[in-house]
Amino acid sequence: MLKPPLPLNETERLMSLHSLHILDTPAEDRFDRITRMAKRLFGVEMCLISLVDSKRQWFKSKQGLNSCQTSREVSFCGHAILHDEVFIVGDASVDPRFEDNPLVTGPPFVRFYAGCPVRGPQGHRVGTLCLIDVSPRGLSTDEQAMLKVLAALVEDELKVTAEGTVDNLTQIANRRGFHTVAAHLLSLCRRTKTDAELVLFDLDGFEAVNDTLGRQAGDALLQRFATLLIECFRSADVVARLGGDEFVVLMTASSDLSEVALERLARSAEADDCQVLRQLGWNARSIRFDPERHDSVDAMLGDADAMMAAQRFERRDTGS
């Protein structure tokens, strides 16, 4: 078995990893969303987001594997972080570097491995997004490119951790965080011909709540609405607050599931303890991703905003 050598910049790399304060933290949907998507797209048994520490590799997200970490000495990811490109092992059982590795000779009986390096915000390779299977296989050039896109999503989420891309009040993504993640998701949808749907929300009469009940009541309302969005949409969907009382959800592989989620949201709001939310209501406009029309996230938001403005005008004109 070949133990992975240390990178030349190991000290700086570890400092970058530890500065994220992410090791040994609980699982998060924003990372699990990516590994679930990758496992489905590539049809593999296991998919991991692995962070390579000094003595171990620790899994921030894992699909198809119960272990939360392994020794760095037996890790495939320890080799993968030495490279800029995707590191591929087609059949570990006949590869001299891995044939007697305990992860190959024993559970989980790794045969195929493909790991794309994941960089922290300072540019150091802190871990990988990796695919693992119990049968030998390969990875085409297009599939490698797709894996790189998904690894870039992981990097985006690491940036969210390190930078100001989380809304302080609601603790969901802010406008900057949403743009970063959504841009890569739409790129992936374009490449894989996957459906996507964007739903834009604003709250009815929110300014009046601040004026009559005070800022604290308004903040509580925004926090509760953000929580309901997370509860009523899928864990794989991207939920964000764009600013003020404006929220957005991006759904991939949606197949018109927004209608189901919106109905669930309406039922949850009617039964919610927040009386102001029950009385207030909201506006919502849904936009399907059109690769020919929408060359960016802003294009989708622009269409949704235009439809929202037309809806407001119509309601004002009819007095409803």
Side-chain angles (χ1 to χ4, degrees):
M1 184 188 77
L2 178 65
K3 296 179 182 179
L6 296 180
L8 295 177
N9 65 342
E10 177 68 357
T11 299
E12 294 85 355
R13 194 193 68 80
L14 287 174
M15 289 177 62
S16 177
L17 171 61
H18 293 162
S19 71
L20 295 171
H21 302 291
I22 197 172
L23 293 171
D24 300 308
T25 58
E28 298 179 64
D29 282 338
R30 60 195 181 109
F31 291 104
D32 290 343
R33 176 180 69 238
I34 300 170
T35 51
R36 283 194 297 266
M37 186 185 304
K39 184 175 183 291
R40 183 181 71 249
L41 283 173
F42 293 97
V44 292
E45 293 287 329
M46 291 159 272
C47 183
L48 312 170
I49 294 174
S50 173
L51 299 174
V52 182
D53 201 359
S54 58
K55 301 290 185 182
R56 59 173 178 158
Q57 61 169 353
W58 176 79
F59 309 133
K60 176 59 181 173
S61 178
K62 57 186 187 295
Q63 306 296 330
L65 186 71
N66 291 326
S67 301
C68 61
Q69 64 182 38
T70 72
S71 164
R72 181 173 177 175
E73 288 189 349
V74 302
S75 73
F76 285 64
C77 297
H79 294 271
I81 63 169
L82 302 173
H83 307 271
D84 285 324
E85 297 302 314
V86 178
F87 179 72
I88 301 173
V89 179
D91 185 353
S93 68
V94 296
D95 190 314
R97 298 169 296 179
F98 303 104
E99 59 185 0
D100 57 347
N101 187 301
L103 300 178
V104 176
T105 59
F109 298 102
V110 176
R111 292 297 179 267
F112 167 75
Y113 171 92
C116 184
V118 168
R119 294 180 180 271
Q122 297 171 324
H124 301 95
R125 293 187 289 265
V126 296
T128 71
L129 173 64
C130 64
L131 310 172
I132 300 172
D133 213 337
V134 296
S135 301
R137 59 169 286 182
L139 208 62
S140 70
T141 301
D142 284 345
E143 287 176 322
Q144 291 181 50
M146 195 184 307
L147 184 59
K148 289 180 180 179
V149 172
L150 290 168
L153 285 175
V154 178
E155 292 178 350
D156 290 341
E157 294 297 350
L158 292 179
K159 290 177 183 176
V160 168
T161 301
E163 300 176 0
T165 49
V166 174
D167 180 60
N168 290 331
L169 178 65
T170 61
Q171 292 302 299
I172 60 176
N174 61 16
R175 180 181 289 270
R176 179 181 178 186
F178 175 74
H179 271 73
T180 300
V181 175
H184 281 296
L185 276 178
L186 291 184
S187 174
L188 182 66
C189 289
R190 189 185 303 275
R191 178 185 296 275
T192 59
K193 295 181 171 58
T194 300
D195 291 336
E197 190 173 2
L198 181 147
V199 188
L200 184 66
F201 297 87
D202 69 5
L203 300 179
D204 271 335
F206 176 71
E207 292 183 4
V209 174
N210 277 339
D211 292 342
T212 58
L213 300 179
R215 179 66 176 272
Q216 186 173 0
D219 286 352
L221 174 62
L222 294 173
Q223 290 170 328
R224 186 59 195 149
F225 190 69
T227 300
L228 284 180
L229 289 178
I230 293 171
E231 292 174 350
C232 294
F233 281 82
R234 302 171 303 173
S235 60
D237 300 332
V238 182
V239 180
R241 179 188 177 204
L242 298 180
D245 66 338
E246 196 171 47
F247 293 80
V248 66
V249 178
L250 180 65
M251 311 175 70
T252 57
S254 56
S255 301
D256 297 316
L257 287 177
S258 67
E259 292 185 9
V260 176
L262 289 172
E263 290 173 2
R264 187 160 52 239
L265 178 65
R267 291 195 301 269
S268 296
E270 287 176 4
D272 197 78
D273 292 335
C274 181
Q275 182 179 0
V276 177
L277 179 60
R278 294 200 306 270
Q279 296 174 344
L280 203 63
W282 60 82
N283 302 304
R285 296 305 301 180
S286 174
I287 295 292
R288 301 286 297 180
F289 175 52
D290 181 352
E292 299 297 323
R293 177 179 175 82
H294 302 129
D295 60 353
S296 67
V297 181
D298 282 329
M300 290 191 76
L301 284 170
D303 277 0
D305 197 48
M307 293 178 69
M308 190 83 81
Q311 183 183 51
R312 293 192 200 100
F313 181 80
E314 181 180 350
R315 292 179 64 180
R316 185 181 61 188
D317 195 46
T318 59
S320 60

